[in-house]
Amino acid sequence: MAQCVQSVQEFIQDSFVPMVAVLCSEDAEKVTRKNNLNFSELLRPFCRLTSEGHMRDPSNQLQVVKNLRISVNNVVTRPSVPSSGVPGHAHRRLLSEVVLTCQPAEGGVANVITAGDYDLNISATTPWFEAYRESFLQSMPASDHEFLNHYLACLLVVSSSEAVPVEKFLKLSQEQHRIQHSGEYTNPKWFIPNTLKYYVLLHDMSQGDEQRADSVYEDMKQRYGAQGCYLLKVNSRTAAAGADEQIPDPWSQYLHKSSLQSQVQLGPRLSVPSIYLLMYRTSEVDGHDSEEKGSLDNTHPLQLDTPSDTPGSLDALRAVAVETKPPPLTTGVAAATSHGACLTLNDHDRIRLFIQEFTFRGLLPHIEKNIRQLNDQLVSRKGLSRSLFSATKKWFGGGKVPEKSIAELKNTSGLLYPPEAPELQIRKMADLCFLVQLYDLAYSCYHTAKKDFLSDQAMLYAAGALEMAAVSAFLQVGAPRPYPAHYMDTAIQTYRDVSKNMVLAERCALLSAEVLKSQAKYSDAATLLIKMTSEDSDLRSALLLEQAAHCFINMRNPMVRKFAFHMILAGHRFSKAGQKRHALRCYCQAMQVYKGKGWSLAEDHINFTIGRQSFTLRQPENAVTAFRHILTNDSQQTSTQQGAFLREYLYVYKNVTGACEVALPQLPLPCINSSATRVYFGHERRLAEGEKQAATHVSLDQEFDRDLAAMWQDLEEQVVAAAKRGVVPATFQSTQCCLNSQTDNLRFPLAVVEEPIIVEVVFRNPLKVPLVLSDLSLLWKFTLKDFNRPQTQEDSVGDAVPISNEKEAISINFFCLIPLCLLPQARLKLLPHQTGQLNILGLVYNLASTSSTGDTTINTAEGTSVRGRQDLEIQGPRLNQTKEEKTSVSHGPDRRLDPTITPPMPLLEVFFLQFPTALLCGEIRKAYVEFCNMSRVTLCGLRVASTHPDFFTFGSSSLATPLTPLSPTSFENCSAYKTLATPPGATPGSVAAVTLVSEGDFGSGTGLRGGVSGAGTGGKGITEIPLGEGTLKPGESTQLPMWLRGPDQEGVHEIHFLFYYESAEKGGKISHRVLRHTVFICASRSLSVRATACRSNTLPEEEEEERNGSMLVFVDVENINSSEAGVREFHIAQVSSSSKQWRLHKCINPAEDKDCKLTSRERGKLCFRATRCKPLQEEKKQSAFPFSKSGVSSLQIITSTTPCADFFFRRCQPLESLRPPGVGHGGGDKDIAGVVRKCNEVDLDIIILWKAFVVEDNKQVILEGQLHVALQTIDKEACSLTPKEEAQEMVLLKFKPELPPPMTRPSMEQLSHLIKTNLQYPESYSHPFNQKSLCMVPVTLTLSNCSLAQVDVIIDLRHKTTSPESLEVHGSFTWLGQTQFKMQLGAQEVMRVQLRACFLHAGVYNLGTPRVFAKLADQGAMCETSQQTATPALIIIINST
Amino acid sequence: MAVCIAVIAKENYPLYIRSVPVQNELKFHYTVHTSLDVVEEKISAVGKAMADQRELYLGLLYPTEDYKVYGYVTNSKVKFVIVADSSNTSLRDNEIRSMFRKLHNSFTDVMCNPFYNPGDTIQSKAFDSMVSAMMVQAS
């Protein structure tokens, strides 16, 4: 139970007080009426006696009566509560009004109770309960089995203005006698037959004659004795005069109370009464006739007799209550119904004195006398009668059981004992003793009475005795015996079950609970209270449940959950009883326990109830908050339940927003995944426009890829570096067009004026029911800031475009009903027209629920649709840099939604025409690029960076623009290459045209020019785009040809382009802009070219200066195309070479005309002779061999012009960079390895140009292409499909500084190539062996030094191999003459040694037996290495007989 | 047979609640939640020193008009609550005990699942079917 203002003792004492009736003459009534009071009311504030009274108990002991209170009431002859025990309708209504008007004070002090991990905010006191209890006890009907609220005395009041006051007194006395004894009236019950009559003469000071009153009083004294009468002088002043003087009004607090019996009680005065209630009370002062009350009820504005509860009546109350706040108790009320207006403070004192006089002189002696009388009676009767009584019972009562039942029946139906029965006399005495605080005596009497009643089976009487026995035992000073709680339990049970008297049971329970509470037996109290709840009275049940809940929380180990549960039950009963406000309070208190503990079902229920109650109480804000909780939680409710919640919420919400249109409130649904919000700057791209294909750039449809983003950033950095002359500015920040959770959002993003900002918001529907969103728009704030001109205040126009496809998407959800279904993202566009700072704050939208009927067409008008907002708050990434940040959880800013709008910038659009998607490896295709400047600002500095710079070229800028057809449409089946008619007479394959080309002329050199070449990969992928004047005017567009070459590797290639451009006006906030493009090229296999260079063994004959400078180049071409259907055949159109030192000299194909065509899987071999030419500085020589036998084109392709040369150089570059500097170009002459390698090195690149005949849609198409082979070393095969990855990987291993290769000894293999040997001899030699048995053949051994260093050479002819095969052959010839030579060969020197071979027989001999050893001249320590033997040199010796 | 079986975490939030008459789910939630007070009372009644030897089965927590609520607390302070119909007089203490033991074993299995995150609501099918077996078949 909650704490009370009164102590238990006070409470019990005040519950049972001596009752005094009042009979008033009309004149006396008039006198008091001046004060707006009747007589009993006049006395009421003074009924508590402040001084102690004394009386003697039957044993003549003097007892002190402390703090006594009496109750003065008008005589009312009708029962207010039927004694049947069922409270009447009016009574109930009164109680409910009492509770209703007593509400917790707003912002009242609530104490925090900590129980376990719960911190509860609970008001410790429950004044409404105390008010209820007080009213309830006051309205207790007088019953026959007890005398506690029977009248002990009667005040007969006569005014002094009466003509003959004594006669009037007589009349009143007779009246009283009639009421008590005539038997006409049952209701005012009287304690004792001879009721104390106290005669009061009321004298009005303002009008009556005081002397006359005094004389009448003297007369009265004579007649009734000084103890039995009193002269009360009142109304010392006139009402008009008293207006200026402030007299305290002690009546107001008593009379506001809705006390039916007009009893005076001291109690909490926390209620805030309304004027209505007040007037109602005062209009009713005459009596409390239930009839009258009933009639009043019908017109009363506060009536609550509609249990269905239209909130109207409550609201009326509320409206009034609000109006009268703060309660005008002293001013407003006093003006209307001031009490005691004619009374001075002196009068107050007189009244007080009167009461005291009456009590101590009249009442107490009367009671004392009666107690004594009763006691004497009982003592005299004791023993005999009792024993006789019981003895007779024993003797005659044969069958006890039936008697009992009869007794019980009698008990419940009517009166068992006559009023003079001795048992009742005991009870009467006990009650008297109890009233005057003689608790010891009272207890013993009650106890005796209890025994008697029990033995008589008079259960109701027994219960009453038990109840009072327990109470008086509790109240005994010093507590000689423990409180008999079981008495109470028995009493309650009897009242309830046997007597069916709920009112008495309730009174008993209230007393008992209070006593138990005082003894800290909260558990028992709770059980008791809970037991008392029943179906018949919701209000009582609610109040008792609430008290039970308070019991649980006040236990030593607070039972929080039980508290909460019973609070909910109480709330439920309150709401059933129509006490909405109390219900809401109960639910709110219970909510504290359930909140956030995972009991979602219960939490939802409470929230829902709170929402409903709040709404009916016109607290829609609270209702919305409560409903919002249900919807935001991850609800476990069923979908129908959720749908109901949602509808209710929307309805309530609509009412709230309808009421106030100030700011749009926040909506809880749907959830916005704010971190997934993406912001896109720029126009939405049209990807294709007719034939044109726009650059892919960035779009919201793309997923964010971290690697890709890094790649783009790298590209951008490269291109910026190239544009800024090799230095990346410190403030460099890569352009981010699309911001999401993974991008760097620390800085304010930059957006350009007049370019849209698209915000993509991701929704999540946590419910199982579909939600309909419509009319979405963005909420934003804009601060105007002019970056160029001085500040001007202009209105900014924001444009919010709703998304139209939203509803369709929801209709899908509607059918799926997936829990937690993801709504599609909404994209909202904002178009800034001014520069400044934009902040996107949130979303505004309409939310509606769909009908539950499963309609396919979703009608937004049908469901209630509300408009609300939701803020977009993005939490930045968690900071984790410093120690402080690591230990705490702090988040960085995220400025995704706060773009800065900058002045206009150029906007480039790039379109591609005839851009292929599939290419053969090495295929050359011409496409067109269109650059469009969409903005109003001139664009310049256009560059492109790519991940595959060898894939495309814009042609050489320095050379004259090739004659290309301007319109791409006329370009059909036209070769991409520039051709030159072959001179008609020239034999194909024999003529080698030589042109000189500089590498720098071609696009690949662009990056190298700025000195970036030293920085490695710095600018290799950057191409400057040759625009007309270097700028692109606003609205202008340029079309440029672009050549593409299929990648060498087959497969799908992802090729990225990054177009870079700047504004012509410098100094903007954005230094540059970029445009991204990604293409996917599917490359299929075409030809595989393998080439080998071999040293020719033949000696140059014609040109002596080209010493050892001839080489054989074999080119193997294989058709490896896998799609036989598509590609019919390949033609080798031309083979060109490019080298600084070599040139292809001559085609020495054995059957040259057959090798030009290659059908599927065919392989052809081409053979060329290459000769060394004079080394040229930095220029490459290109020689071309056109094979025009194919008949398609007899034109020679100029390989030194744009597409071909471009790709050739682009292709070369990575290889070039692969070669360690200094090693390849003769920089290491001193180094043996270098020297040795040098002699084996070829630097010859071969370009194979081919044509493929492809059938495409029954049409033959000729495709062209080129492949490159780089020959580097003699006798080492080079392939067009270089295993690039491997080579690149080796380069990329950069963690070690690139040292020159260590001075390793050149390998034997390499050293064996130092000297080239050649034997010169006649192929066949006829010798007449018959004539001369010895055949001598002169053989010239030519030694040529391949290296650039001096070489010591040893020629050994004696050498014999051990193999039997050679033995056999060798045995047949011998070398004659000097068999060992030692000589030195200078650089590239050729030396001939004359040898002679001697043969004995005719036959075929291998002359290649001389062994040549060589070593570098200055390397003394090194031993000679055997040089490679020449191919078998066979000689035929013919016997010429 | 039980009409409601609940597993409550140490911090007194529900890990698992299942009840047979589904329409009365809310009521059972309230019942189980309220019973936690009694469970706590019973646990705290046992002295600290005795806590180790404490019996896990707490017996009847409290009877209501319609139901009997039984409790069981594991050593890790996870609570099991079984609500049985009062009218079902055939249900004896021993059977309740064995039901709790079965529940505990099954719960241990759930906890041993490496993919189960302690503190999450139990969604194990095995546990679910075991609980269903102990419940009154809703007819």
Side-chain angles (χ1 to χ4, degrees), chain A residues 1010-1027:
Chain A
V1012 197
S1013 58
T1017 55
K1020 63 164 181 165
I1022 319 297
T1023 314
E1024 236 172 274
I1025 293 164
L1027 289 172

Side-chain angles (χ1 to χ4, degrees), chain B residues 7-79:
Chain B
V7 180
I8 316 294
K10 180 171 179 260
E11 295 83 11
N12 288 333
Y13 61 85
L15 291 175
Y16 183 93
I17 294 193
R18 183 114 172 267
S19 51
V20 165
V22 181
Q23 66 273 15
N24 257 346
E25 212 179 342
L26 178 67
K27 181 181 171 184
F28 285 118
H29 277 230
Y30 276 127
T31 309
V32 170
H33 182 257
T34 309
S35 72
L36 294 178
D37 269 333
V38 189
V39 172
E40 257 176 25
E41 193 185 30
K42 291 215 178 197
I43 297 172
S44 59
V46 181
K48 268 246 163 74
M50 294 292 285
D52 295 339
Q53 291 101 328
R54 177 179 61 83
E55 217 209 327
L56 302 179
Y57 178 59
L58 298 178
L60 183 66
L61 296 181
Y62 65 86
T64 66
E65 290 93 341
D66 309 322
Y67 302 108
K68 284 178 180 164
V69 185
Y70 298 90
Y72 184 93
V73 181
T74 68
N75 286 320
S76 54
K77 298 275 188 298
V78 172
K79 291 119 189 152

Side-chain angles (χ1 to χ4, degrees), chain A residues 87-101 128 131-137 139 258 293 506 537 539-540 543 579:
Chain A
H89 190 62
H91 184 224
R92 283 188 179 192
R93 177 159 304 150
L94 179 88
L95 288 176
S96 101
E97 272 165 28
V98 169
V99 174
L100 189 64
T101 49
W128 49 92
Y132 167 85
R133 190 169 65 180
E134 212 176 292
S135 307
F136 170 78
L137 290 173
S139 60
S258 49
K293 225 173 120 41
E506 189 182 346
S537 167
L539 180 66
R540 185 186 65 217
L543 285 164
Q579 303 278 357

Side-chain angles (χ1 to χ4, degrees), chain A residues 645 758 801 1031 1210 1326 1338 1344:
Chain A
F645 283 165
I758 299 170
V801 181
T1031 57
R1210 273 163 191 270
S1326 301
S1344 70

Side-chain angles (χ1 to χ4, degrees), chain A residues 1141-1190:
Chain A
Q1141 291 159 8
W1142 300 85
R1143 51 176 290 204
L1144 287 189
H1145 203 266
K1146 204 175 175 184
C1147 179
I1148 45 171
N1149 247 25
E1152 56 198 48
D1153 52 338
K1154 292 223 175 88
D1155 282 328
C1156 316
K1157 282 186 194 170
L1158 289 169
T1159 50
S1160 180
R1161 294 284 163 193
E1162 223 172 37
R1163 184 195 275 249
K1165 199 174 190 100
L1166 298 171
C1167 198
F1168 298 94
R1169 182 154 143 223
T1171 50
R1172 194 185 281 270
C1173 55
K1174 284 206 179 93
L1176 290 160
Q1177 273 310 107
E1178 287 302 314
E1179 296 261 310
K1180 286 206 170 179
K1181 198 174 286 182
Q1182 292 216 334
S1183 49
F1185 285 88
F1187 291 87
S1188 45
K1189 277 275 179 179
S1190 56

